[in-house]
Amino acid sequence: MTAPDPTASLPADVAPVPAEHGPVRERSALPDVLRGMALTGILVVNMQDFAGFLEWQQHGLDNVVQVVTDVLANGRFISIFAMLFGWGAAGLLARQGPEFSCAVICCCC
């Protein structure tokens, strides 16, 4: 026996609107701003490595900046970026529907 459809008794103006498939028409700026901040933080954390500085050879202010960067920023921006990636992937899967998620998971069976 099947359960009755709970939306069948709702008036037309209250009935849920089905989600659209396809590209997003209105894009929120917040995730993009947070992604930009996360990428900037990753750059700041890795800037000394890119420049060739070695932590054990630094003295004075260079050593202080390295310790402060390691304590306050190292690892945090990568986690924020990973969380935003997961949020975007979940939104994509929710928008495209179960057919798309099955194709992604099953590698285009």
Side-chain angles (χ1 to χ4, degrees), residues 29-60:
L30 180 63
D32 292 332
V33 170
L34 291 175
R35 278 186 199 104
M37 289 174 53
L39 288 173
T40 303
I42 291 169
L43 176 68
V44 167
V45 167
N46 292 304
M47 195 176 298
Q48 291 183 343
D49 290 336
F50 294 155
F53 290 117
L54 302 175
E55 185 175 352
W56 58 88
Q57 293 179 350
Q58 295 177 2
H59 302 289

Side-chain angles (χ1 to χ4, degrees), residues 85-106:
F85 179 81
W87 182 23
L92 178 68
L93 290 175
R95 257 191 329 275
Q96 298 300 327
E99 300 86 18
F100 180 76
S101 62
C102 181
V104 170
I105 293 170
C106 299

Side-chain angles (χ1 to χ4, degrees), residues 7-17:
T7 61
S9 62
L10 293 175
D13 60 342
V14 181
V17 178

Side-chain angles (χ1 to χ4, degrees), residues 19-32:
E20 284 187 33
H21 295 298
V24 176
R25 303 214 189 283
E26 294 180 21
R27 186 175 174 108
S28 175
L30 180 63
D32 292 332

Side-chain angles (χ1 to χ4, degrees), residues 34-35 37-38 75-85:
L34 291 175
R35 278 186 199 104
M37 289 174 53
R76 285 176 176 78
F77 292 107
I78 293 174
S79 343
I80 293 170
F81 189 73
M83 181 201 60
L84 290 168
F85 179 81

